[in-house]
Amino acid sequence: MTTIEKNKMMRDKLVNAPSVEDAKANLEREHTASNWYDYGKALSKAHRNQEAIDVYSQGLVEFPFSALLYFGRGCRYMSVSFEQAIADFTMAIRIEEDVNLYWYYRAVTYNTHGLYREAIADFRQAMKYAQPEDHYSMVDWIFTSYVDLGDMEGARRALDLVPDDLEVPDMDWDYKCRVRLYKGILKPEDMLNEDEIRKHVPDPKDDLLLDIVTLRFGMFVYYTYIGDTQKANEQLLAIVNKPYEGAFATTKARAYAEERGLI
């Protein structure tokens, strides 16, 4: 399997999950690392996080060199144990280093725990194995990591890593909007057009709020980048007052709001 094919398969596995019942039936029919992963993914989608961790651990007993299962467990540990998440993502990378999502999620874990330089290095590694249309999310995280460091020149240079406009998968549409905002192509008042957002979300009832929270956090980063603290704080409050639980944007917005004494 080529690197391109491998990364496409991983994106599909990340986005799509069978029902818990179907995943369990598939695993009972055939024990494969892929079926163990799907079962864990289905459980996590059903908000049964500890059960998902247990399933990935059981799968690793049977398939101890499965990068996929280390990745799946690492994703579930992100909200539980920084050290265990980093350990699992690192194992996945050592077993199969050319999968961009392994680098990407380790980088996100570093970022959300304040290790911004480590995050930037990993996001750059992820870009080596990703297709150009997948780069917007990585450039966004690199940009925000530089802003977190207070290195606005580094943030500005990071924007040169991706073109102004490429067609992207719907799951990355909001990241593309954020990057275009940082570049000055989009205006803040154009970011929260709900009719436009609905064109890019599979489930308008649920994913609409996720995209709004994600876009708002990008606006917070933008206002921080240009030095408008008041408007940046307004975006933080808008997120924490109507959060999408489990989203990286919500987690980071809440931490910033607490740090700034807003909540």
Side-chain angles (χ1 to χ4, degrees):
M1 185 181 297
T2 67
T3 296
I4 292 175
E5 291 170 337
K6 194 182 296 182
N7 281 286
K8 183 180 183 302
M9 182 201 76
M10 274 306 307
R11 176 183 279 274
D12 290 342
K13 278 205 166 288
L14 184 70
V15 174
N16 302 308
S19 67
V20 172
E21 294 76 17
D22 287 346
K24 185 177 181 181
N26 289 338
L27 179 61
E28 289 173 347
R29 192 160 41 245
E30 184 180 13
H31 276 215
T32 66
S34 180
N35 283 345
W36 276 109
Y37 175 87
D38 287 346
Y39 187 30
K41 179 69 177 178
L43 288 166
S44 68
K45 193 172 181 180
H47 306 291
R48 295 160 63 178
N49 199 58
Q50 186 55 54
E51 290 178 73
I53 289 173
D54 292 343
V55 162
Y56 290 128
S57 297
Q58 290 173 51
L60 282 164
V61 171
E62 191 170 355
F63 299 96
F65 301 105
S66 170
L68 179 63
L69 292 176
Y70 278 113
F71 170 71
R73 192 173 69 175
C75 288
R76 303 281 57 82
Y77 270 128
M78 287 176 75
S79 60
V80 179
S81 168
F82 167 75
E83 292 81 6
Q84 187 62 59
I86 292 296
D88 279 353
F89 291 138
T90 300
M91 282 297 297
I93 289 166
R94 288 182 178 176
I95 294 168
E96 210 167 13
E97 71 172 5
D98 62 342
V99 177
N100 73 75
L101 286 173
Y102 300 164
W103 294 97
Y104 183 95
Y105 274 80
R106 190 173 75 170
V108 170
T109 306
Y110 279 137
N111 176 282
T112 54
H113 286 79
L115 297 169
Y116 302 120
R117 296 197 185 281
E118 291 85 347
I120 290 168
D122 271 11
F123 283 123
R124 289 182 181 274
Q125 283 294 118
M127 289 182 71
K128 291 182 180 180
Y129 303 113
Q131 294 301 295
E133 61 270 20
D134 297 329
H135 286 179
Y136 286 96
S137 60
M138 299 163 205
V139 169
D140 183 287
W141 278 97
I142 291 171
F143 179 88
T144 60
S145 294
Y146 276 119
V147 171
D148 282 325
L149 287 167
D151 183 355
M152 302 311 174
E153 178 56 26
R156 186 196 62 76
R157 290 196 304 269
L159 297 177
D160 294 333
L161 294 172
V162 72
D164 292 346
D165 196 10
L166 283 176
E167 291 296 320
V168 297
D170 280 339
M171 69 178 292
D172 285 344
W173 174 81
D174 44 10
Y175 283 113
K176 176 182 171 181
C177 289
R178 284 167 41 155
V179 170
R180 285 164 62 79
L181 172 69
Y182 309 148
K183 287 184 175 224
I185 298 168
L186 286 180
K187 297 178 180 179
E189 55 265 30
D190 297 329
M191 291 289 284
L192 299 178
N193 183 327
E194 292 193 10
D195 290 336
E196 183 63 25
I197 295 171
R198 284 190 177 92
K199 297 177 184 177
H200 302 279
V201 297
D203 182 355
K205 292 182 180 178
D206 188 39
D207 295 337
L208 179 65
L209 179 57
L210 172 59
D211 271 42
I212 288 173
V213 165
T214 302
L215 292 168
R216 278 199 182 280
F217 190 78
M219 293 166 69
F220 158 73
V221 174
Y222 168 76
Y223 284 126
T224 302
Y225 176 59
I226 66 172
D228 193 331
T229 302
Q230 180 180 339
K231 288 186 177 179
N233 288 345
E234 288 172 1
Q235 297 307 317
L236 292 179
L237 288 172
I239 293 171
V240 298
N241 287 333
K242 193 173 182 181
Y244 185 98
E245 297 301 340
F248 296 132
T250 298
T251 301
K252 287 185 69 70
R254 192 171 282 135
Y256 276 119
E258 290 175 352
E259 182 182 300
R260 296 181 179 202
L262 300 175
I263 57 173

